[in-house]
Every structure is written in structure tokens, then in C-alpha cells.
Amino acid sequence: MASSVLEATRAAHEDLERLDRLVVRELQRDPANARDRLFQSHRVHHMLDLVISTSDKLVEIYEDKDGARKDEISTHLTAPVQSDIFPKYYERLKEIRDYHRRNHSARFISETDDYEELLKEEPAIEFTGEEAFGRYLDLHELYNEFINSKFGSLMEYSAYVGTFAQTEKISHSLKATRQYKEYLEHILEYLTSFMYRTEPLQDIDKIFTKLQSEFEEQWANGEVPGWENKGTGKKSESQESAVDLDYYNTVEELVELGPEKLKEALTARALKGGGTVQQRAKRLFLLKHTPLEQLDRKHFAKGDDLKKEIALVEVKMKRLCEILDETSVGVTV
């Protein structure tokens, strides 16, 4: 069909209107039971995905980077003289009829049977037997990983299900390890998968983006729950009084404190404590005019980065647990 771009535009707008009506119609229906509610959520999620993909196609058409839409309008919908308008119109009408005669099944939604199929489909959702179609968490693999780790302890599975999100009970000396970070990532991966299957209308990416923004501010201020003053550089009263930079105007004055005193002051702020006395004094003196949270990351001890990564995963995990608890999945935070 010569004027396929304009026809594709018209068809896409029509599809969007139909999908909007389908979503409203589906959400106005009260689910009969929990299984029906889950199917309803997945059907709506599928239709919203179609809305997004169709909208993306329309944006691409209207951006007209290759000039095809402009050329088509110029060729088929304009006439150099008034007398050519009707011949152009009938030529266009013939092209549309020929196109639909050849592509009668090209549309993904029709006004008859196909139109209703999206409301009748039963999405294929995979659950383990223990998950009971999304009613419970299946944490057996994570439980075995926990009880066989250095940071874990022996307990019954039922006790683990009720306490796995209470990470504040684990000491920081055991948390600051790669093994613990990998364990947390496994939990987060499972909970995210469970959320996608049981709450498909939740925008997890948006939740995490907002959460990370809040986390950065809390971490800089030493206010992350369970990580207060743990590698954040927020000073205690005694540490603050030990080396008050307001009383020092040059690096040479700080050098007089000696290597041990400088190392203590640096590590209290999660900065690197190694190097010569001069290097330590220079590093500490940076805080005289630069806030700790704005300091270049190269000055921080590597362990602090690991702690921050672990704390962020913990925060994400707890947020998902809160959402699941609100939606009647038994998780105790």
C-alpha cells in the first residue's frame, strides 16, 4: 500500500482507544477469588504493555526521522490544482480498500472475537508448590544458604520465614563480607521475581529509583536504619572533639598530631588511614573546606563502599517485604 505510514498511524490510534476501553472494562469487574484477581492484574499488565509499545510506534512515526510521513502527505494528500483533489481522494480510497483486502488479519485486536480474547485469557504464571499460587513465599533455598553461612545460625524454617528480613540482628562484623552481600542479592532477586508474578501492576523500578534517592541522603547523614554511624563518616561527639578541624589552619599543624591520631580521625570518618604522616594530614585537611559527602570517592576506604552497597540491598529488600505484607503475603519485617 502506497500510503502505509498514514494508515499505520490511524490504526495505532484506534488500537490505543480500544485498549483503553478494555483496561477500564476489566478493572470495573470484581474478581471472584484470589486466582481471578491475579489473572486480572496480569491481563491489565499485558494490555498496558501493548499501550506502551503502540505509543512508542506512534512517537517514532511522528518524529518522522526518515521523512516518510512528510513525503506520503505531500504525495497522496495534496494536489497542485483544485481539479486534482477528487481523483487523489478516490485513488487514496482504492489503496485503503486494496490494503485491507490483502491484510485482513494484520491487526492484533479486532472488533469481534479477537477483541474479547484479551479479557478471557488465563496468563501462564509459574509458581512452586510451596508458593501456593502466590499465597506464600518459598524461601527454602535461601534458608539453607543462611544456616550454612558464617553470619547465619541454626533455626527452624518457620522461624526463618518470620525473621529473615530482620537484618539488624546480624552483627556488622559479619555483614561486611562478600558472602553476606551475595546472600542479600539472592533474597532481593527472589522477592523481585515474586513481586512480578503476584503484583504485576507494581512499578518496582520506580519504587527502587525513589528508594535509592532517599537512601543516598540518609547514608550521607548516617540515618540508614541499622547502619547509624557504621562506616558513614558521621562522627560521634567524642570523635568530633578529638580532632576539631576548626582549630587547624594548615596541613603542617595537623602533622603535629602524629600518625596514630591522624589515622584514628580518618578511619572515624571512613576515610583511608594509610600513607605517610603528611599524606594523612592532607587527606584530613580536605574536610576543612569540603563536606564529607562531596569528597572524591578515592579518599574513602574500600570497606565503606561495600557497606553502602549492602545497606542499599537491605533497604530494597525490606521495602519489598513491606509491600508484600500489605498485600496479604505473610512476611514479618
Tab-separated table of all heavy atoms in Angstrom, residues 123-169:
chain	number	residue	atom	x	y	z
A	123	PRO	N	-3.441	-16.026	31.955
A	123	PRO	CA	-1.982	-15.932	31.830
A	123	PRO	C	-1.275	-17.129	32.455
A	123	PRO	O	-1.722	-17.673	33.471
A	123	PRO	CB	-1.647	-14.644	32.593
A	123	PRO	CG	-2.931	-13.876	32.629
A	123	PRO	CD	-4.020	-14.889	32.675
A	124	ALA	N	-0.181	-17.534	31.840
A	124	ALA	CA	0.628	-18.637	32.370
A	124	ALA	C	1.601	-18.071	33.400
A	124	ALA	O	2.560	-17.383	33.049
A	124	ALA	CB	1.375	-19.329	31.242
A	125	ILE	N	1.351	-18.331	34.676
A	125	ILE	CA	2.188	-17.819	35.763
A	125	ILE	C	2.779	-19.015	36.504
A	125	ILE	O	2.036	-19.869	36.999
A	125	ILE	CB	1.375	-16.954	36.744
A	125	ILE	CG1	0.491	-15.969	35.973
A	125	ILE	CG2	2.291	-16.211	37.695
A	125	ILE	CD1	-0.562	-15.307	36.826
A	126	GLU	N	4.087	-19.075	36.596
A	126	GLU	CA	4.746	-20.216	37.224
A	126	GLU	C	4.957	-19.974	38.721
A	126	GLU	O	5.541	-18.967	39.117
A	126	GLU	CB	6.088	-20.494	36.549
A	126	GLU	CG	5.962	-20.969	35.105
A	126	GLU	CD	7.303	-21.362	34.523
A	126	GLU	OE1	8.315	-21.282	35.262
A	126	GLU	OE2	7.336	-21.739	33.344
A	127	PHE	N	4.476	-20.918	39.515
A	127	PHE	CA	4.690	-20.906	40.965
A	127	PHE	C	5.151	-22.287	41.403
A	127	PHE	O	4.799	-23.295	40.780
A	127	PHE	CB	3.402	-20.554	41.718
A	127	PHE	CG	2.972	-19.122	41.587
A	127	PHE	CD1	1.900	-18.780	40.768
A	127	PHE	CD2	3.620	-18.116	42.284
A	127	PHE	CE1	1.498	-17.461	40.638
A	127	PHE	CE2	3.218	-16.796	42.163
A	127	PHE	CZ	2.158	-16.467	41.342
A	128	THR	N	5.937	-22.325	42.480
A	128	THR	CA	6.294	-23.623	43.055
A	128	THR	C	5.125	-24.104	43.917
A	128	THR	O	4.205	-23.336	44.227
A	128	THR	CB	7.554	-23.508	43.931
A	128	THR	OG1	7.262	-22.669	45.065
A	128	THR	CG2	8.701	-22.902	43.151
A	129	GLY	N	5.172	-25.370	44.313
A	129	GLY	CA	4.105	-25.900	45.157
A	129	GLY	C	4.003	-25.163	46.477
A	129	GLY	O	2.911	-24.894	46.984
A	130	GLU	N	5.178	-24.797	47.053
A	130	GLU	CA	5.191	-24.102	48.342
A	130	GLU	C	4.606	-22.695	48.242
A	130	GLU	O	4.088	-22.158	49.230
A	130	GLU	CB	6.626	-24.022	48.885
A	130	GLU	CG	7.196	-25.337	49.383
A	130	GLU	CD	7.696	-26.211	48.242
A	130	GLU	OE1	7.586	-25.781	47.065
A	130	GLU	OE2	8.183	-27.321	48.518
A	131	GLU	N	4.669	-22.083	47.063
A	131	GLU	CA	4.150	-20.724	46.904
A	131	GLU	C	2.630	-20.689	46.814
A	131	GLU	O	2.021	-19.628	47.002
A	131	GLU	CB	4.760	-20.080	45.652
A	131	GLU	CG	6.226	-19.723	45.831
A	131	GLU	CD	6.878	-19.237	44.558
A	131	GLU	OE1	6.434	-19.645	43.462
A	131	GLU	OE2	7.847	-18.455	44.645
A	132	ALA	N	2.023	-21.856	46.552
A	132	ALA	CA	0.565	-21.968	46.557
A	132	ALA	C	-0.103	-20.856	45.738
A	132	ALA	O	-0.974	-20.139	46.215
A	132	ALA	CB	0.021	-21.975	47.988
A	133	PHE	N	0.347	-20.723	44.502
A	133	PHE	CA	-0.192	-19.733	43.576
A	133	PHE	C	-0.116	-18.310	44.123
A	133	PHE	O	-1.054	-17.522	44.031
A	133	PHE	CB	-1.638	-20.081	43.195
A	133	PHE	CG	-1.985	-19.669	41.791
A	133	PHE	CD1	-1.533	-20.399	40.699
A	133	PHE	CD2	-2.736	-18.542	41.545
A	133	PHE	CE1	-1.831	-20.011	39.403
A	133	PHE	CE2	-3.041	-18.144	40.251
A	133	PHE	CZ	-2.587	-18.891	39.173
A	134	GLY	N	1.046	-18.013	44.726
A	134	GLY	CA	1.293	-16.643	45.166
A	134	GLY	C	0.825	-16.308	46.572
A	134	GLY	O	0.906	-15.150	46.997
A	135	ARG	N	0.375	-17.298	47.328
A	135	ARG	CA	-0.105	-17.029	48.693
A	135	ARG	C	1.028	-17.019	49.710
A	135	ARG	O	0.934	-16.360	50.744
A	135	ARG	CB	-1.148	-18.069	49.089
A	135	ARG	CG	-2.444	-17.985	48.295
A	135	ARG	CD	-3.359	-19.134	48.639
A	135	ARG	NE	-3.706	-19.148	50.064
A	135	ARG	CZ	-4.257	-20.198	50.676
A	135	ARG	NH1	-4.486	-21.326	49.998
A	135	ARG	NH2	-4.549	-20.124	51.951
A	136	TYR	N	2.102	-17.772	49.430
A	136	TYR	CA	3.215	-17.865	50.381
A	136	TYR	C	4.555	-17.718	49.660
A	136	TYR	O	4.651	-17.958	48.448
A	136	TYR	CB	3.180	-19.213	51.116
A	136	TYR	CG	1.888	-19.518	51.802
A	136	TYR	CD1	0.994	-20.431	51.255
A	136	TYR	CD2	1.549	-18.877	52.989
A	136	TYR	CE1	-0.213	-20.703	51.881
A	136	TYR	CE2	0.343	-19.149	53.625
A	136	TYR	CZ	-0.533	-20.067	53.064
A	136	TYR	OH	-1.724	-20.332	53.678
A	137	LEU	N	5.582	-17.357	50.448
A	137	LEU	CA	6.948	-17.312	49.926
A	137	LEU	C	7.583	-18.691	50.023
A	137	LEU	O	7.335	-19.429	50.978
A	137	LEU	CB	7.787	-16.313	50.721
A	137	LEU	CG	7.373	-14.842	50.661
A	137	LEU	CD1	8.220	-14.033	51.623
A	137	LEU	CD2	7.485	-14.298	49.255
A	138	ASP	N	8.406	-19.024	49.052
A	138	ASP	CA	9.168	-20.266	49.087
A	138	ASP	C	10.636	-19.905	49.314
A	138	ASP	O	11.381	-19.612	48.382
A	138	ASP	CB	8.995	-21.025	47.765
A	138	ASP	CG	9.769	-22.342	47.758
A	138	ASP	OD1	10.344	-22.701	48.807
A	138	ASP	OD2	9.796	-23.005	46.703
A	139	LEU	N	11.062	-19.936	50.577
A	139	LEU	CA	12.396	-19.477	50.951
A	139	LEU	C	13.343	-20.615	51.305
A	139	LEU	O	14.361	-20.398	51.966
A	139	LEU	CB	12.299	-18.513	52.145
A	139	LEU	CG	11.428	-17.271	51.936
A	139	LEU	CD1	11.330	-16.478	53.245
A	139	LEU	CD2	11.978	-16.392	50.838
A	140	HIS	N	13.042	-21.829	50.883
A	140	HIS	CA	13.836	-22.985	51.297
A	140	HIS	C	15.304	-22.880	50.873
A	140	HIS	O	16.215	-23.182	51.653
A	140	HIS	CB	13.213	-24.270	50.750
A	140	HIS	CG	11.973	-24.682	51.477
A	140	HIS	ND1	10.726	-24.167	51.177
A	140	HIS	CD2	11.784	-25.533	52.520
A	140	HIS	CE1	9.825	-24.699	51.978
A	140	HIS	NE2	10.435	-25.529	52.811
A	141	GLU	N	15.557	-22.474	49.644
A	141	GLU	CA	16.948	-22.351	49.190
A	141	GLU	C	17.683	-21.266	49.970
A	141	GLU	O	18.850	-21.435	50.342
A	141	GLU	CB	16.980	-22.040	47.689
A	141	GLU	CG	16.561	-23.203	46.808
A	141	GLU	CD	16.748	-22.908	45.332
A	141	GLU	OE1	17.397	-21.878	45.013
A	141	GLU	OE2	16.257	-23.684	44.501
A	142	LEU	N	17.013	-20.164	50.206
A	142	LEU	CA	17.637	-19.068	50.964
A	142	LEU	C	17.853	-19.472	52.417
A	142	LEU	O	18.846	-19.080	53.045
A	142	LEU	CB	16.752	-17.820	50.876
A	142	LEU	CG	16.588	-17.251	49.463
A	142	LEU	CD1	15.444	-16.250	49.416
A	142	LEU	CD2	17.882	-16.605	49.001
A	143	TYR	N	16.937	-20.260	52.958
A	143	TYR	CA	17.065	-20.753	54.331
A	143	TYR	C	18.312	-21.625	54.470
A	143	TYR	O	19.099	-21.462	55.415
A	143	TYR	CB	15.821	-21.549	54.698
A	143	TYR	CG	15.957	-22.410	55.934
A	143	TYR	CD1	16.024	-21.845	57.202
A	143	TYR	CD2	16.004	-23.810	55.830
A	143	TYR	CE1	16.148	-22.633	58.337
A	143	TYR	CE2	16.122	-24.599	56.946
A	143	TYR	CZ	16.199	-24.015	58.203
A	143	TYR	OH	16.322	-24.797	59.312
A	144	ASN	N	18.522	-22.529	53.506
A	144	ASN	CA	19.706	-23.395	53.543
A	144	ASN	C	20.988	-22.578	53.398
A	144	ASN	O	22.007	-22.873	54.037
A	144	ASN	CB	19.626	-24.442	52.425
A	144	ASN	CG	18.570	-25.497	52.702
A	144	ASN	OD1	18.322	-25.850	53.856
A	144	ASN	ND2	17.931	-26.002	51.658
A	145	GLU	N	20.931	-21.536	52.571
A	145	GLU	CA	22.096	-20.664	52.406
A	145	GLU	C	22.397	-19.924	53.707
A	145	GLU	O	23.569	-19.754	54.078
A	145	GLU	CB	21.835	-19.664	51.275
A	145	GLU	CG	23.028	-18.809	50.904
A	145	GLU	CD	22.763	-17.887	49.717
A	145	GLU	OE1	21.698	-18.033	49.072
A	145	GLU	OE2	23.618	-17.020	49.445
A	146	PHE	N	21.364	-19.529	54.420
A	146	PHE	CA	21.540	-18.778	55.662
A	146	PHE	C	22.136	-19.639	56.771
A	146	PHE	O	23.115	-19.253	57.419
A	146	PHE	CB	20.188	-18.217	56.114
A	146	PHE	CG	20.221	-17.508	57.438
A	146	PHE	CD1	20.690	-16.211	57.537
A	146	PHE	CD2	19.769	-18.141	58.592
A	146	PHE	CE1	20.725	-15.553	58.759
A	146	PHE	CE2	19.798	-17.497	59.817
A	146	PHE	CZ	20.280	-16.193	59.901
A	147	ILE	N	21.567	-20.806	57.005
A	147	ILE	CA	22.015	-21.634	58.133
A	147	ILE	C	23.403	-22.230	57.893
A	147	ILE	O	24.064	-22.667	58.841
A	147	ILE	CB	21.010	-22.767	58.459
A	147	ILE	CG1	20.879	-23.719	57.275
A	147	ILE	CG2	19.666	-22.195	58.858
A	147	ILE	CD1	20.014	-24.937	57.569
A	148	ASN	N	23.871	-22.239	56.628
A	148	ASN	CA	25.195	-22.782	56.324
A	148	ASN	C	26.240	-21.689	56.108
A	148	ASN	O	27.324	-21.954	55.597
A	148	ASN	CB	25.124	-23.674	55.072
A	148	ASN	CG	24.388	-24.977	55.337
A	148	ASN	OD1	24.847	-25.817	56.100
A	148	ASN	ND2	23.234	-25.139	54.717
A	149	SER	N	25.907	-20.456	56.494
A	149	SER	CA	26.833	-19.337	56.326
A	149	SER	C	27.446	-18.946	57.663
A	149	SER	O	26.966	-19.347	58.727
A	149	SER	CB	26.098	-18.138	55.726
A	149	SER	OG	25.136	-17.648	56.646
A	150	LYS	N	28.504	-18.128	57.602
A	150	LYS	CA	29.165	-17.664	58.832
A	150	LYS	C	28.291	-16.676	59.599
A	150	LYS	O	28.380	-16.578	60.825
A	150	LYS	CB	30.501	-17.008	58.478
A	150	LYS	CG	31.540	-17.981	57.939
A	150	LYS	CD	32.846	-17.268	57.627
A	150	LYS	CE	33.883	-18.250	57.108
A	150	LYS	NZ	35.176	-17.580	56.779
A	151	PHE	N	27.450	-15.930	58.876
A	151	PHE	CA	26.617	-14.924	59.530
A	151	PHE	C	25.273	-15.485	59.991
A	151	PHE	O	24.527	-14.816	60.692
A	151	PHE	CB	26.363	-13.740	58.573
A	151	PHE	CG	25.818	-14.148	57.240
A	151	PHE	CD1	24.469	-14.400	57.064
A	151	PHE	CD2	26.664	-14.295	56.153
A	151	PHE	CE1	23.968	-14.787	55.838
A	151	PHE	CE2	26.166	-14.683	54.912
A	151	PHE	CZ	24.814	-14.927	54.758
A	152	GLY	N	24.961	-16.695	59.576
A	152	GLY	CA	23.684	-17.299	59.929
A	152	GLY	C	23.741	-18.098	61.214
A	152	GLY	O	24.777	-18.179	61.881
A	153	SER	N	22.612	-18.689	61.568
A	153	SER	CA	22.531	-19.529	62.768
A	153	SER	C	21.464	-20.585	62.554
A	153	SER	O	20.567	-20.427	61.721
A	153	SER	CB	22.190	-18.673	63.996
A	153	SER	OG	20.957	-18.003	63.795
A	154	LEU	N	21.565	-21.669	63.297
A	154	LEU	CA	20.596	-22.758	63.151
A	154	LEU	C	19.246	-22.342	63.728
A	154	LEU	O	19.167	-21.810	64.839
A	154	LEU	CB	21.110	-24.008	63.854
A	154	LEU	CG	22.314	-24.710	63.207
A	154	LEU	CD1	22.769	-25.879	64.070
A	154	LEU	CD2	21.947	-25.194	61.801
A	155	MET	N	18.189	-22.582	62.977
A	155	MET	CA	16.827	-22.305	63.431
A	155	MET	C	15.854	-23.084	62.557
A	155	MET	O	16.227	-23.587	61.486
A	155	MET	CB	16.514	-20.809	63.351
A	155	MET	CG	16.553	-20.221	61.945
A	155	MET	SD	16.047	-18.475	61.877
A	155	MET	CE	17.347	-17.683	62.787
A	156	GLU	N	14.626	-23.194	62.993
A	156	GLU	CA	13.595	-23.847	62.193
A	156	GLU	C	13.226	-22.971	60.992
A	156	GLU	O	13.341	-21.739	61.037
A	156	GLU	CB	12.347	-24.115	63.042
A	156	GLU	CG	12.552	-25.109	64.174
A	156	GLU	CD	12.844	-26.509	63.667
A	156	GLU	OE1	12.333	-26.871	62.588
A	156	GLU	OE2	13.613	-27.230	64.337
A	157	TYR	N	12.773	-23.624	59.914
A	157	TYR	CA	12.395	-22.886	58.707
A	157	TYR	C	11.292	-21.871	59.002
A	157	TYR	O	11.323	-20.739	58.511
A	157	TYR	CB	11.930	-23.863	57.614
A	157	TYR	CG	11.407	-23.163	56.377
A	157	TYR	CD1	12.272	-22.544	55.484
A	157	TYR	CD2	10.031	-23.119	56.115
A	157	TYR	CE1	11.795	-21.897	54.346
A	157	TYR	CE2	9.544	-22.469	54.985
A	157	TYR	CZ	10.430	-21.867	54.110
A	157	TYR	OH	9.948	-21.216	52.993
A	158	SER	N	10.326	-22.265	59.819
A	158	SER	CA	9.226	-21.362	60.146
A	158	SER	C	9.730	-20.101	60.849
A	158	SER	O	9.216	-18.999	60.630
A	158	SER	CB	8.199	-22.074	61.028
A	158	SER	OG	8.816	-22.565	62.218
A	159	ALA	N	10.763	-20.252	61.694
A	159	ALA	CA	11.337	-19.099	62.379
A	159	ALA	C	12.084	-18.207	61.389
A	159	ALA	O	12.034	-16.972	61.484
A	159	ALA	CB	12.275	-19.560	63.485
A	160	TYR	N	12.753	-18.824	60.429
A	160	TYR	CA	13.492	-18.061	59.426
A	160	TYR	C	12.548	-17.211	58.575
A	160	TYR	O	12.827	-16.033	58.302
A	160	TYR	CB	14.291	-19.010	58.535
A	160	TYR	CG	14.959	-18.331	57.362
A	160	TYR	CD1	16.119	-17.581	57.529
A	160	TYR	CD2	14.418	-18.425	56.077
A	160	TYR	CE1	16.733	-16.943	56.460
A	160	TYR	CE2	15.017	-17.793	54.999
A	160	TYR	CZ	16.177	-17.055	55.199
A	160	TYR	OH	16.766	-16.428	54.135
A	161	VAL	N	11.415	-17.778	58.174
A	161	VAL	CA	10.449	-17.047	57.352
A	161	VAL	C	9.972	-15.787	58.073
A	161	VAL	O	9.749	-14.745	57.449
A	161	VAL	CB	9.249	-17.949	56.992
A	161	VAL	CG1	8.139	-17.148	56.310
A	161	VAL	CG2	9.692	-19.087	56.087
A	162	GLY	N	9.839	-15.881	59.375
A	162	GLY	CA	9.363	-14.735	60.136
A	162	GLY	C	10.424	-13.708	60.482
A	162	GLY	O	10.101	-12.597	60.911
A	163	THR	N	11.701	-14.074	60.308
A	163	THR	CA	12.770	-13.164	60.764
A	163	THR	C	13.826	-12.852	59.700
A	163	THR	O	14.737	-12.074	59.973
A	163	THR	CB	13.493	-13.776	61.979
A	163	THR	OG1	14.072	-15.044	61.597
A	163	THR	CG2	12.538	-13.976	63.136
A	164	PHE	N	13.715	-13.407	58.492
A	164	PHE	CA	14.801	-13.240	57.513
A	164	PHE	C	15.032	-11.774	57.142
A	164	PHE	O	16.137	-11.391	56.753
A	164	PHE	CB	14.521	-14.063	56.244
A	164	PHE	CG	13.508	-13.446	55.307
A	164	PHE	CD1	13.907	-12.632	54.261
A	164	PHE	CD2	12.153	-13.684	55.475
A	164	PHE	CE1	12.981	-12.069	53.396
A	164	PHE	CE2	11.220	-13.123	54.623
A	164	PHE	CZ	11.638	-12.304	53.578
A	165	ALA	N	13.991	-10.934	57.252
A	165	ALA	CA	14.136	-9.517	56.901
A	165	ALA	C	14.672	-8.675	58.061
A	165	ALA	O	14.956	-7.494	57.880
A	165	ALA	CB	12.790	-8.956	56.441
A	166	GLN	N	14.846	-9.280	59.240
A	166	GLN	CA	15.343	-8.537	60.398
A	166	GLN	C	16.876	-8.576	60.417
A	166	GLN	O	17.500	-9.171	61.292
A	166	GLN	CB	14.748	-9.127	61.676
A	166	GLN	CG	13.226	-9.029	61.720
A	166	GLN	CD	12.618	-9.750	62.905
A	166	GLN	OE1	13.341	-10.245	63.778
A	166	GLN	NE2	11.304	-9.810	62.957
A	167	THR	N	17.461	-7.919	59.449
A	167	THR	CA	18.918	-7.970	59.272
A	167	THR	C	19.679	-7.243	60.373
A	167	THR	O	20.882	-7.437	60.523
A	167	THR	CB	19.295	-7.358	57.917
A	167	THR	OG1	18.749	-6.032	57.834
A	167	THR	CG2	18.722	-8.179	56.770
A	168	GLU	N	18.977	-6.395	61.136
A	168	GLU	CA	19.668	-5.670	62.210
A	168	GLU	C	20.150	-6.611	63.316
A	168	GLU	O	20.988	-6.227	64.142
A	168	GLU	CB	18.755	-4.593	62.806
A	168	GLU	CG	17.510	-5.113	63.492
A	168	GLU	CD	16.360	-5.391	62.518
A	168	GLU	OE1	16.561	-5.220	61.308
A	168	GLU	OE2	15.272	-5.772	63.011
A	169	LYS	N	19.655	-7.843	63.333
A	169	LYS	CA	20.071	-8.808	64.358
A	169	LYS	C	21.439	-9.407	64.054
A	169	LYS	O	22.034	-10.057	64.905
A	169	LYS	CB	19.034	-9.924	64.473
A	169	LYS	CG	17.688	-9.441	65.013
A	169	LYS	CD	16.725	-10.608	65.186
A	169	LYS	CE	15.402	-10.146	65.796
A	169	LYS	NZ	14.453	-11.270	65.984
